[in-house]
Coordinates of all heavy atoms in Angstrom, one line a residue:
S1467 N 105.3 101.3 109.9 CA 106.7 100.7 110.4 C 107.4 100.1 109.3 O 108.5 99.8 109.4 CB 106.3 99.6 111.3 OG 105.4 98.6 110.7
G1468 N 106.7 100.1 108.1 CA 107.4 99.5 106.8 C 106.9 98.1 106.6 O 107.3 97.4 105.5
K1469 N 105.9 97.6 107.4 CA 105.4 96.2 107.3 C 104.8 95.9 105.9 O 105.0 94.8 105.3 CB 104.5 95.8 108.3 CG 103.3 96.6 108.6 CD 102.5 96.1 109.8 CE 101.1 96.8 109.8 NZ 101.0 98.3 109.6
G1470 N 104.1 96.9 105.4 CA 103.4 96.8 104.1 C 104.3 96.6 103.0 O 104.1 95.6 102.1
T1471 N 105.3 97.4 102.8 CA 106.4 97.3 101.8 C 107.1 96.0 101.9 O 107.3 95.2 100.9 CB 107.3 98.4 101.8 OG1 106.6 99.6 101.9 CG2 108.3 98.4 100.7
I1472 N 107.5 95.6 103.2 CA 108.2 94.4 103.4 C 107.3 93.1 103.0 O 107.7 92.2 102.2 CB 108.5 94.2 104.8 CG1 109.7 95.2 105.2 CG2 108.9 92.7 105.2 CD1 110.2 95.3 106.6
R1475 N 107.0 93.0 99.1 CA 108.3 92.3 98.5 C 108.4 90.8 98.8 O 109.0 90.1 98.1 CB 109.4 93.1 99.1 CG 109.5 94.6 98.5 CD 111.0 95.0 98.5 NE 111.0 96.5 98.2 CZ 112.1 97.1 98.2 NH1 113.2 96.5 98.5 NH2 112.2 98.4 98.1
R1595 N 107.7 108.9 107.5 CA 107.3 108.0 106.4 C 105.9 108.1 105.9 O 105.7 108.3 104.7 CB 107.6 106.4 106.6 CG 109.1 106.1 107.0 CD 109.2 104.6 107.5 NE 110.5 104.4 107.8 CZ 110.8 103.4 108.5 NH1 109.8 102.6 108.9 NH2 112.1 103.0 108.9
T1642 N 113.1 99.0 112.3 CA 113.5 99.6 111.1 C 113.9 101.1 111.2 O 114.1 101.7 110.2 CB 112.5 99.4 110.0 OG1 111.4 100.2 110.3 CG2 112.1 97.9 109.8
M1645 N 116.9 101.9 109.4 CA 117.1 101.3 108.1 C 116.3 101.9 107.0 O 115.2 102.3 107.2 CB 116.6 99.8 108.2 CG 117.3 99.0 109.2 SD 116.6 97.3 109.3 CE 117.6 96.5 110.6
D1646 N 116.9 101.9 105.8 CA 116.0 102.3 104.7 C 115.3 101.0 104.2 O 115.6 99.9 104.8 CB 116.9 102.9 103.6 CG 117.8 101.9 102.9 OD1 117.8 100.8 103.1 OD2 118.8 102.3 102.1
I1647 N 114.4 101.2 103.3 CA 113.6 99.9 103.0 C 114.3 98.8 102.5 O 114.0 97.6 102.7 CB 112.3 100.4 102.2 CG1 111.3 99.3 102.1 CG2 112.7 100.9 100.8 CD1 110.7 98.9 103.5
D1648 N 115.4 99.1 101.6 CA 116.1 97.8 101.1 C 116.9 97.0 102.2 O 116.8 95.9 102.2 CB 117.2 98.5 100.1 CG 116.6 98.9 98.8 OD1 115.6 98.4 98.5 OD2 117.1 100.0 98.2
R1649 N 117.4 97.9 103.2 CA 118.0 97.1 104.4 C 117.0 96.4 105.1 O 117.2 95.2 105.7 CB 118.9 98.1 105.3 CG 120.3 98.0 105.0 CD 121.0 98.8 106.0 NE 121.1 98.0 107.3 CZ 121.4 98.7 108.3 NH1 121.6 99.9 108.5 NH2 121.5 98.0 109.5
A1650 N 115.8 97.1 105.4 CA 114.8 96.4 106.1 C 114.2 95.1 105.4 O 114.1 94.1 106.0 CB 113.6 97.4 106.4
F1651 N 114.2 95.3 104.2 CA 113.6 94.0 103.4 C 114.7 92.9 103.5 O 114.3 91.7 103.6 CB 113.4 94.4 102.0 CG 113.0 93.2 101.2 CD1 111.9 92.4 101.4 CD2 113.8 92.7 100.1 CE1 111.7 91.2 100.8 CE2 113.6 91.6 99.4 CZ 112.5 90.9 99.8
D1652 N 116.0 93.3 103.4 CA 117.0 92.2 103.4 C 117.0 91.6 104.8 O 117.2 90.3 104.8 CB 118.3 93.0 103.2 CG 119.3 92.0 102.6 OD1 119.1 91.3 101.7 OD2 120.4 91.9 103.3
A1653 N 116.9 92.4 105.8 CA 116.8 91.7 107.2 C 115.5 90.8 107.3 O 115.6 89.8 107.8 CB 116.7 92.8 108.2

Side-chain angles (χ1 to χ4, degrees):
S1467 56
K1469 65 185 190 302
T1471 308
I1472 288 172
R1475 290 207 194 173
R1595 290 175 187 162
T1642 67
M1645 297 180 184
D1646 65 16
I1647 191 61
D1648 288 328
R1649 258 193 73 202
F1651 173 64
D1652 202 50

